[in-house]
Amino acid sequence: MQFLLAFIVGIPLVGAVAALLPAPPGLKGSGPDQAVLRHGVTVTGAVLVAAIVLAAGFDHDHPSKMQATTDISWIPALDVRIHLGIDGISLPLLVLTALLTFLCALYSYFKLPAGPSPKAFVALLLVLESGTLATFAVLDLLLFFLAFEMVLIPMYFLIARWGGAQRQAAAWKFILYTLLGSVVMLLGLLLVGLKSGTFDMVALATDNGRGLTTSVQVIAVLAIGIGLAVKTPMWPLHSWLPDAHTAAPTVGSVLLAGVLLKMGTYGFVRILLPITPDGMHTFAPYLAAFAVVGIIYGSLACLALVRPGSKGDLKRLIAYSSVGHMGFVLLGIASMTPTGVNGALFANIAHGLITGLLFFLVGAVKDRYGTADLDTLSGATGAALYGRAPRLGGLLAFAAVASLGLPGLAGFWGEMLALFGSFDPADGLSRPAFLTFMSIAAFGTLLTAAYMLMVVRRVCMGEKREEPQLADIQTYEFAAWTPLVALTVLAGLWPAVLLGLTDPAVQKLLAGGKS
């Protein structure tokens, strides 16, 4: 298990270096481009298999215990250690990252976005995977920061070199926002480490803030929280996200929404809740307020984009919907209760599955129509996907109703538990305030249903015009999307699969390291 986790984190980096080397004789296939794309599928597939084996070997009877740990001294002068480990909080995110990256590599093998060398594309994809996996596996504050930053450069180049219109501006906006947030976050991490005398996240969580004064905790939460909120993204620090999603290639959007946004909310749960509880208690009402504003703002932005005549872009609409969905995650965290935090972690996974599927589908629609503009797609009578490409239309409708939180699908449980957490927040938090936040967020679910159903009506329905049939779902698309559909249904019908992992770990986390 110890070797397996180190393998999962490190092998994508080795694969990225190998992708830039000439293909060995006999493995070139029909050409070097095909060879390097096959290499990407092989490496990400090996990581996914290793992640599944790790999950199978995980001690499910003790999910609150750190498992598969590695603890090696790295910089003795600063007491920085190469400390890896997983528990019930990080394991689902690790498997989700491995799955989505493999599906993106598989999709790209058949549908590579237009751009420079495939070698660079595969290498960047693997570096991105390694950084994301490391973020969920490391247990040292400085290593967390390095892994957190490691994903920025590959995502910048994926947007800037393989993206669509306005890709340079979107890539610069992405890198500047996230880097500025990260600088502030680093100061907060250093403050915690130097004041407490250690950067070890397990030791800090067990101490539960007792070694830090309240004023230090408040400053640390403000500094670290800004960096995490930018990556989440929390309103009003979200404005880089719609541009990045609109310009990014399909696989870039899938990974950005599916795993990169989760790094921010994971930091809130792993670092701020257990290490600076007093500081979080101070800022929890403000975090909840920003969260519900984001829920309403994201929904209203989507309603404006889907309105006929607004020239709204479908990818941009899904990006704004992410602002709203991640608002529910932040609301659950702000409640500081086991129910709310479990809901936040569940909503994280559900959003990764559903929004990843949505971006795959929107990319497929754009490939077939040549545009993602809703007015162009729907025309006078609707794009009529049900009639022209029935399987694609049916799958888009499925993803839309999953995103709006239909009971029985994954999107329902996380949002419901986040609302329950707000109904009865942690001791010391204002219950009337959180009941108000809960009511506003519940209204946001109605707005989400409104814009998602309008998307289905405008894109999927309409009169069947005298136009050639569109290509329906291809074999490679079916292979890339089926796991996301199956897991969305599984998590919706059997939420205990996830909650059984996260709940004991969350209970221990909020109790200051005591099971």
Side-chain angles (χ1 to χ4, degrees), residues 166-178:
Q166 305 296 320
R167 59 182 183 267
Q168 292 289 348
W172 273 109
K173 197 170 186 180
F174 163 76
I175 199 76
L176 288 176
Y177 262 76
T178 48

Side-chain angles (χ1 to χ4, degrees), residues 175-187:
I175 199 76
L176 288 176
Y177 262 76
T178 48
L179 277 178
L180 287 173
S182 297
V183 169
V184 182
M185 184 176 77
L186 177 60
L187 296 176

Side-chain angles (χ1 to χ4, degrees), residues 81-103:
R81 309 182 69 82
I82 298 177
H83 192 182
L84 306 177
I86 53 165
D87 62 358
I89 293 171
S90 50
L91 179 63
L93 290 166
L94 199 80
V95 176
L96 176 69
T97 301
L99 173 66
L100 284 178
T101 312
F102 169 71
L103 297 180

Side-chain angles (χ1 to χ4, degrees), residues 127-501:
V127 172
L128 183 68
E129 179 180 33
S130 182
T132 311
L133 291 168
T135 301
F136 300 135
V138 297
L139 297 173
D140 183 276
L141 288 179
L142 291 186
L143 275 185
F144 175 86
F145 176 77
L146 292 177
F148 197 85
E149 296 303 289
M150 184 176 167
V151 304
L152 300 185
I153 300 303
M155 182 53 73
Y156 167 82
F157 281 110
L158 285 174
I159 296 171
R161 304 303 297 277
W162 284 270
Q166 305 296 320
R167 59 182 183 267
Q168 292 289 348
W172 273 109
K173 197 170 186 180
F174 163 76
I175 199 76
L176 288 176
Y177 262 76
T178 48
L179 277 178
L180 287 173
S182 297
V183 169
V184 182
M185 184 176 77
L186 177 60
L187 296 176
L189 294 174
L190 290 173
L191 176 65
V192 169
L194 295 175
K195 286 291 185 180
S196 61
T198 180
F199 289 96
D200 187 88
M201 291 159 65
V202 176
L204 288 166
T206 304
D207 187 62
N208 200 221
R210 286 181 286 270
L212 300 170
T213 64
T214 301
S215 58
V216 168
Q217 290 189 39
V218 168
I219 295 169
V221 169
L222 182 61
I224 299 170
I226 287 173
L228 298 174
V230 170
K231 187 68 72 74
T232 298
M234 180 186 78
W235 181 90
L237 304 174
H238 68 284
S239 60
W240 61 269
L241 184 72
D243 292 338
H245 271 309
T246 305
T250 296
V251 294
S253 293
V254 170
L255 291 174
L256 184 58
V259 292
L260 263 68
L261 303 190
K262 313 301 173 284
M263 294 164 64
T265 51
Y266 173 77
F268 275 103
V269 174
R270 177 64 75 197
I271 298 174
L272 295 185
L273 277 178
I275 296 175
T276 55
D278 294 340
M280 272 298 291
H281 196 278
T282 300
F283 280 105
Y286 304 101
L287 181 63
F290 284 126
V292 296
V293 170
I295 292 169
I296 300 300
Y297 173 84
S299 299
L300 292 177
C302 290
L303 284 170
L305 288 169
V306 78
R307 186 167 43 86
S310 64
K311 305 297 287 181
D313 186 281
L314 193 49
K315 288 186 74 175
R316 195 173 189 85
L317 184 146
I318 304 302
Y320 272 111
S321 78
S322 292
V323 176
H325 288 306
M326 297 312 288
F328 280 98
V329 177
L330 291 172
L331 180 62
I333 293 169
S335 73
M336 297 184 71
T337 62
T339 302
V341 176
N342 275 305
L345 294 171
F346 198 103
N348 255 347
I349 301 298
H351 180 265
L353 296 171
I354 296 167
T355 308
L357 177 62
L358 274 170
F359 275 116
F360 269 134
L361 293 167
V362 172
V365 170
K366 187 174 182 179
D367 288 338
R368 287 156 172 77
Y369 279 92
T371 181
D373 180 79
L374 275 164
D375 288 335
T376 305
L377 285 173
S378 59
T381 59
L385 267 185
Y386 287 152
R388 301 185 66 194
R391 293 183 183 85
L392 181 60
L395 201 52
L396 182 60
F398 167 83
V401 297
S403 183
L404 63 84
L406 184 73
L409 297 175
F412 171 73
W413 295 106
E415 295 183 1
M416 185 192 72
L417 290 172
L419 293 176
F420 280 176
S422 298
F423 180 77
D424 189 16
D427 293 340
L429 296 177
S430 170
R431 192 170 184 226
F434 272 82
L435 286 174
T436 304
F437 298 145
M438 183 197 73
S439 302
I440 296 171
F443 178 66
T445 62
L446 300 179
L447 297 179
T448 303
Y451 69 74
M452 278 299 177
L453 293 176
M454 288 176 70
V455 167
V456 172
R457 180 174 62 81
R458 296 195 67 196
V459 178
C460 297
M461 300 179 184
E463 297 177 13
K464 191 174 179 181
R465 293 165 284 179
E466 294 299 321
E467 295 179 14
Q469 285 288 105
L470 291 173
D472 214 334
I473 295 177
Q474 306 295 301
T475 303
Y476 71 93
E477 293 173 329
F478 181 81
W481 303 343
T482 300
L484 300 180
V485 174
L487 289 171
T488 299
V489 175
L490 176 65
L493 296 178
W494 194 15
V497 173
L498 269 178
L499 294 176
L501 280 173

